[in-house]
Every structure is written in structure tokens, then in C-alpha cells.
Amino acid sequence: MSKVRVVGLGRAVFDVLARTERMPTWEDPGRLSELDVDGGGPCATAVVAVERLGIHAGMIGTYGSNRAGQIKLQSLVENGVDVSRMVQRPGPETQAVIAFVDAETGERIFTGVKGFDSGGLTSDELDREYITAAEYLHLDGGHAEAALQAAGWVHEAGGKVMLDGSSVRAGGTVGPAMCALVEACDVLICGSGFGPALTGKHDLWEIGRTILAMGPQVVVQTEGKDGSYTTTRQEEFHTPSFDVEVVDTTGCGDVFHGAFIVGQVHGWSLRETAQFASAVSALKARKLGGRAGIPTLEETIAFLRERLGDWPPHTTGKE
């Protein structure tokens, strides 16, 4: 088995995916156009993307002792992810959601199980040597106490930390635990609304500069069809999204994060990395589920060369 080069610490989720033309009601339950079960979760899906793109990855999180928990764990194993540091919690799986997917637009609504974030990992349950042996640690805010400790260990060992700042609805806030993780990360990739909630500002470039002052070296704001906005102390640039036939946007942001790590592990520039991550996200959206559509490295590079011509990076397989 090759070395685990990327470790994820966060949420692994059991997803039930229901594609429908309209949301069911008691009076009109309607019919589903498609139904499937998949593994999900921001961190876990990003880690699966890393593995699918040719970099060996491991996942640290929890799973229940019932059938849903076993399926969740197996979905990681089937994708080649190392699960040796996953921790079982007795009882039913709580990190589980039903995702209703709009059959026309691919947009979705999630309904989670009560107690979704209960039973979080503690620092005592972490394997420091395993975590610090990796080049990148990816976090999504789950298991916040353990995540903050792991980030400190990684920095002491000379590694990098990426944080997924999930989308925040208008009027929402960013809690103190997530703020502490923002300060402790090297790369922050945040969804729509996270930046305004964190900074109180609304201009994307101003948001990026403000977050840089908090600690990260790179801030990327993903804005769906409008692409992504990258801010560092040296440069600022916009990366357009790719136009594809969208089936399901579930997991698009998560695989963007995983692909971004892969680009950085390969040593590509930030502009090349952002293009690569955008392409992986677009290709994923063509299938139902957060993981089914994740492409390989070769498929992504072929897509980029088809759309952009002689795309610069020349890595075509596992390092």
C-alpha cells in the first residue's frame, strides 16, 4: 500500500439521494425520477476525490454500528480510502441525510438526522503519527476540538492544512470553533455566504483580503456557476466555471476541495489548480450523487485540454 499523503478529519455521511421534479407533500407525494444511496459528507467526499484523482488518502471520522454506518464505511473502502483510523460509535448512524435533488436544475435540499454532530472525536482518539506523516490535512469543521489539535500537530511537522468553510445562508453566522479553525489553516476554501458571515463584508476581493489577515495564506471563494475567486498576498484572480449538463450539484464543492489539494500536491500553480478543481467539480455534476461522477486524473486533463487547448500540467498518473 502506498503512503497516505492526504488525511481528512471531519464528517463522513450516509446519503440517500432522491431526484424529483417537485418536493413531495402529504397531499401530493408524487414520484421520484431516480433514487440511490451513496457516501457523502464534505470531508469524506473530498478525500474520495483525492483518491480517485490518484493521490492516496485516509479518512478520520466516526461511523455507527447499524447497517447505515457499515454502508458508509464500505463506501470509503470501495474508493480506496484508508479507513484504519475511523472510529465506530455504538448505536445508529447519526451522520445521515436525505438529499432531494431538483431534476431540472440539479439543486438540492438536505434533511439530516437528529444528533447529526453528536459523538464527536476527541484529541485522545487521534493518531498523531498517522496525521503528521501526511502532506495535507483537510478539515470541514466537524470534530472541532480534535481538528484544531490535529492542525497544530501538522504545522509543527511542516505540513499544510486546508479548511472547508461551508456555504452560509443570508443572516447566518460563523461560530467560534470554525473561526479558530480559520486562523489555524493555510488554505481556506469557502462556499457562498461564508465570507460575508465571517467578515461582515460583501465585496469578494475585500472579503478575501480580510480573511488573509486572520491567518490563511490562500482564500478561495466558490460561487457556483460564477466560478471561484482566489486571493493571496501576491495575486487575486477569478476562475470561471465550466458549462456542462448538470444532473446533481451534491458534492460539487467537496470534490473541488479535494481536487485543489491534488493540484497543490502535484506542484501546480494556483491558477492551474483552480482550473483543475473547477473541471473536476463540473464533471462530477453530470451524475447523481456526491461521488459517482468524480472523474479520474486522466479524464479531467482530457476535459481541460478539450476546453482550453494545451493545458499546462503534464502529470498523467499517480506519483
Side-chain angles (χ1 to χ4, degrees):
M1 176 64 70
S2 59
K3 174 189 173 183
V4 171
R5 302 178 66 184
V6 176
V7 169
L9 196 170
R11 300 179 179 96
V13 179
F14 173 74
D15 281 352
V16 177
L17 302 150
R19 192 163 183 250
T20 181
E21 295 180 358
R22 63 184 185 280
M23 289 292 290
T25 64
W26 292 114
E27 295 76 21
D28 181 17
R31 296 282 184 180
L32 301 177
S33 55
E34 192 172 353
L35 182 70
D36 204 353
V37 173
D38 198 1
C43 187
T45 299
V47 165
V48 168
V50 170
E51 186 74 39
R52 190 81 58 85
L53 292 164
I55 301 295
H56 191 34
M59 178 66 197
I60 303 172
T62 61
Y63 64 101
S65 58
N66 63 353
R67 181 63 175 159
Q70 292 299 319
I71 293 173
K72 184 177 84 169
L73 186 69
Q74 186 61 30
S75 71
L76 292 169
V77 173
E78 290 171 352
N79 281 285
V81 174
D82 180 72
V83 297
S84 62
R85 275 38 175 208
M86 290 285 289
V87 178
Q88 187 180 69
R89 294 288 191 244
E93 178 62 50
T94 57
Q95 292 192 331
V97 303
I98 297 177
F100 291 95
V101 182
D102 188 304
E104 181 177 351
T105 66
E107 293 299 317
R108 67 271 192 246
I109 296 175
F110 298 103
T111 301
V113 173
K114 287 183 178 180
F116 186 87
D117 273 331
S118 62
L121 292 170
T122 65
S123 299
D124 292 340
E125 294 177 291
L126 302 181
D127 183 337
R128 179 172 182 167
E129 184 177 354
Y130 178 82
I131 292 170
T132 57
E135 298 165 47
Y136 260 90
L137 172 67
H138 181 52
L139 309 171
D140 64 5
H143 315 290
E145 174 202 339
L148 191 60
Q149 178 64 79
W153 290 341
V154 168
H155 283 147
E156 288 176 13
K160 297 288 187 179
V161 178
M162 175 185 283
L163 175 63
D164 170 358
S166 299
S167 298
V168 177
R169 292 183 179 180
T173 60
V174 178
M178 183 61 86
C179 288
L181 289 173
V182 168
E183 295 174 0
C185 76
D186 300 287
V187 181
L188 173 66
I189 301 185
C190 45
S192 182
F194 184 92
L198 180 66
T199 66
K201 303 180 184 299
H202 297 281
D203 176 79
L204 291 174
W205 302 123
E206 189 177 3
I207 289 170
R209 296 178 203 121
T210 302
I211 296 176
L212 287 177
M214 299 178 182
Q217 300 170 15
V218 180
V219 177
V220 183
Q221 299 173 76
T222 58
E223 297 291 334
K225 292 181 180 180
D226 194 32
S228 65
Y229 295 79
T230 300
T231 308
T232 73
R233 290 173 179 82
Q234 292 75 41
E235 60 180 335
E236 298 176 347
F237 61 88
H238 170 241
T239 303
S241 64
F242 290 96
D243 186 22
V244 297
E245 185 176 346
V246 174
V247 171
D248 180 11
T249 60
T250 302
C252 281
D254 307 332
V255 303
F256 183 101
H257 303 155
F260 200 95
I261 291 175
V262 170
Q264 290 298 278
V265 169
H266 280 304
W268 299 339
S269 72
L270 285 175
R271 290 177 183 269
E272 292 164 350
T273 295
Q275 286 180 330
F276 178 76
S278 181
V280 172
S281 181
L283 289 168
K284 185 246 78 72
R286 301 188 301 181
K287 291 186 179 180
L288 181 67
R291 300 178 185 170
I294 300 174
T296 64
L297 181 64
E298 291 80 7
E299 289 169 341
T300 307
I301 290 178
F303 175 84
L304 282 162
R305 289 177 176 168
E306 176 187 326
R307 296 296 183 97
L308 302 178
D310 185 21
W311 195 67
H314 299 292
T315 304
T316 57
K318 277 193 176 182
E319 290 191 345

